[in-house]
Amino acid sequence: MASSSLALSSLHIQTSPIHKTTDGSLIISKTIPSMRRHMARPISASISEKPSILPPQQPPSNQPNKLPIKKIPGDYGLPLIGPWSDRTDFWYNQGGNEFFKSRIQKYQSTVFRTNMPPGPFIASDSKVIALLDAKSFPVLFDVTKVEKRDIFTGTFMPSTDLTGGYRVLSYLDPSEPNHEKLKKLMFYLLSSRRDYVIPEFETSYNKLFKKLESEISSNGKVSFNDANDQSAFEFLGKSFYGVNPGDTKLGNDGPGIIQTWLLFQLHPLLTLGLPKILEDVALHSFKLPPLLIKSKYNRLLEFFNENSVDLQNEAEKLGLARDEAVHNLLFATCFNTFGGMKKFFPNLMIQVGRAGFNLHTQLAQEIRSGVKSNGGQVTMKAMEQMPLMKSTVYEALRIEPPVTSQYGRAKRDLVIESHDAAFEVKEGEMMYGYQPFATKDPKIFVRSEEFVADRFVGEEGEKLLKYVLWSNGPENESPSVSNKQCAGKDFVVLVGRLLLVLFFLRYDSFEIEVGTSALGSALTVTSLKRASF
């Protein structure tokens, strides 16, 4: 879930069609004309209970407005002191949401100047212009206006020693020659393995469900996150590379190694709940030495090197070195895709779990009816006949985007607009968007802070997909080699749909408890009610 910023954030593998039939065109490729027709089709209602009714939602007009040009409010404070003060507020005194809310209120503007963590001594320049509404945010997607070089994780870049000495795809700007080559390689990965995605997902996640049932039976509850980590990595290994990592020398160590490797890259952006002074010094002031993780990384690298020969051959045809290709495949699979599933799947199930029994009943009825009418098989065609399920996945991506932040450095002097004013940005200035504010903009979405499962059902609901922005681009647009939109965005949507479909084929309802973890929410399942048919 690459061009998305702020890690895990990313879900950002590069994909092309997962299914070769026209009714399987959910996975984006610029070369598949049927995909556009699919995405334009309204999500029409077909559920047994009437969906919740939202007031009419009218997206703002795209017609130019003569907004007043205002000076961007806010300041960066004194050197060292200003960045440290903002970092302290962001991580310890306020938290991200309150940090931005308080400044919106202070400046009476959704566009303002501030510092973004980590600041000294990891990032040499922490100054950004924050864009916190749905109108200003999309400038960060426009690579004719912003540069995306080395800003995947924001105002700092992890050491390339963590990625074999290479600047991997996520850190490349589209203007760089290897960007196109590497993105084409990721397209090839998904297209060449498209027929394995649904069956391998069914195998891995049905095994996960059995494990959840067994643990609940024994202990009364079970961690979804831990079980999901193993299942996600097994699924990715088998569907992308034809090998179960558990059957190799890597064994079941993959998810744990990946989590440690992610920590070494993302620790300046994480809080682990340690005492404030200890955490600030250990995690937010200096980079952890890559040497400490090298042996573990090499174990991952060995797995990918041994099981990607065909992909390395394709990389050579594209003009890439085999070694560079392997490090990029590892990053795309472990950081972008596994990291994304690690964050997105618990969030999706938390939102659905909190929504309660009525939504569970509607989803179960719709999913079972759709599968039954398609010969009892889970297919792309069957899932296209499940409007509530599709909308539920989109709403989960909107309400809690797996990508929380985006960055872009102005290529030239720009004028950007919020809903209320226009602002001048100078060439070279860094712009920053906090995505949860853009996707919950109350001027776009009615009941913007609420999870409304059927929000995107129907023609009017589908128009709002342009404001679902988690993929470094609008949901109703497509990635290409010339932009930085997550080329795997429809792969992410697909596996989210598969999770709900397989779950509600098996269960009528479930109950949960929710906690926190360093990389997202911690989900504990306390009850699973097996399907009554």
Side-chain angles (χ1 to χ4, degrees), residues 335-400:
F335 189 112
N336 301 140
T337 317
F338 172 81
M341 293 174 71
K342 180 180 178 65
K343 186 171 184 180
F344 174 48
F345 277 14
N347 289 344
L348 172 61
M349 297 307 292
I350 286 169
Q351 296 299 333
V352 173
R354 285 172 168 167
F357 182 76
N358 287 342
L359 176 61
H360 300 173
T361 300
Q362 292 177 4
L363 285 170
Q365 291 174 347
E366 179 184 82
I367 288 167
R368 293 167 195 174
S369 175
V371 171
K372 182 178 180 180
S373 65
N374 284 273
Q377 301 296 313
V378 177
T379 63
M380 304 291 273
K381 181 180 178 181
M383 288 188 287
E384 277 302 301
Q385 299 170 8
M386 303 174 187
L388 178 62
M389 181 276 293
K390 295 193 307 182
S391 178
T392 298
V393 173
Y394 288 136
E395 178 70 346
L397 290 167
R398 180 197 75 85
I399 200 76
E400 192 166 356

Side-chain angles (χ1 to χ4, degrees), residues 303-320:
F303 171 82
F304 284 91
N305 190 50
E306 291 178 352
N307 296 291
S308 64
V309 174
D310 290 344
L311 292 163
Q312 293 175 53
N313 293 339
E314 181 66 19
E316 283 192 323
K317 295 177 185 178
L318 293 168
L320 293 164

Side-chain angles (χ1 to χ4, degrees), residues 494-507:
L494 171 63
V495 294
R497 292 176 177 181
L498 285 170
L499 179 63
L500 289 187
V501 167
L502 295 182
F503 187 88
F504 283 105
L505 284 175
R506 190 179 185 96
Y507 304 107

Side-chain angles (χ1 to χ4, degrees), residues 183-359:
K183 203 161 188 181
K184 283 182 176 178
L185 178 63
M186 301 308 163
F187 284 145
Y188 179 81
L189 165 65
L190 270 295
S191 65
S192 65
R193 300 294 300 179
R194 60 183 176 264
D195 293 330
Y196 297 92
V197 172
I198 292 178
E200 294 297 356
F201 193 94
E202 288 187 278
T203 299
S204 296
Y205 276 81
N206 280 327
K207 184 161 49 173
L208 175 144
F209 298 147
K210 291 178 181 178
K211 181 177 181 179
L212 296 182
E213 292 173 15
S214 176
E215 288 289 326
I216 290 175
S217 177
S218 300
N219 303 317
K221 60 183 180 180
V222 60
S223 167
F224 178 87
N225 297 59
D226 293 343
N228 178 61
D229 285 356
Q230 286 293 341
S231 295
F233 193 57
E234 176 185 305
F235 158 66
L236 294 172
K238 292 168 67 178
S239 61
F240 288 172
Y241 304 99
V243 179
N244 183 351
D247 296 334
T248 71
K249 287 183 287 186
L250 189 58
N252 293 324
D253 296 338
I257 293 174
I258 295 170
Q259 182 157 312
T260 305
W261 177 64
L262 291 173
L263 175 64
F264 270 66
Q265 296 174 80
L266 301 178
H267 67 86
L269 307 176
L270 301 175
T271 179
L272 302 181
L274 302 174
K276 173 182 171 180
I277 295 177
L278 174 62
E279 185 168 271
D280 204 52
V281 172
L283 298 183
H284 300 153
S285 299
F286 306 96
K287 293 182 180 180
L288 297 175
L291 184 63
L292 297 178
I293 192 66
K294 185 174 182 179
S295 62
K296 291 182 180 294
Y297 180 79
N298 285 340
R299 289 186 64 194
L300 286 176
L301 187 65
E302 182 180 12
F303 171 82
F304 284 91
N305 190 50
E306 291 178 352
N307 296 291
S308 64
V309 174
D310 290 344
L311 292 163
Q312 293 175 53
N313 293 339
E314 181 66 19
E316 283 192 323
K317 295 177 185 178
L318 293 168
L320 293 164
R322 298 176 77 89
D323 185 56
E324 182 174 10
V326 175
H327 286 286
N328 272 273
L329 290 167
L330 187 159
F331 192 92
T333 305
C334 296
F335 189 112
N336 301 140
T337 317
F338 172 81
M341 293 174 71
K342 180 180 178 65
K343 186 171 184 180
F344 174 48
F345 277 14
N347 289 344
L348 172 61
M349 297 307 292
I350 286 169
Q351 296 299 333
V352 173
R354 285 172 168 167
F357 182 76
N358 287 342
L359 176 61

Side-chain angles (χ1 to χ4, degrees), residues 83-127:
W84 180 83
S85 176
D86 284 342
R87 180 173 80 195
T88 301
D89 281 346
F90 187 91
W91 286 127
Y92 309 113
N93 296 339
Q94 296 178 304
N97 284 347
E98 187 57 36
F99 177 89
F100 292 117
K101 284 181 181 178
S102 65
R103 284 152 179 79
I104 289 174
Q105 293 172 355
K106 177 180 179 180
Y107 302 125
Q108 291 297 295
S109 174
T110 53
V111 176
F112 54 84
R113 298 183 184 275
T114 189
N115 296 285
M116 278 304 296
F121 297 96
I122 292 176
S124 60
D125 186 357
S126 59
K127 300 173 183 176

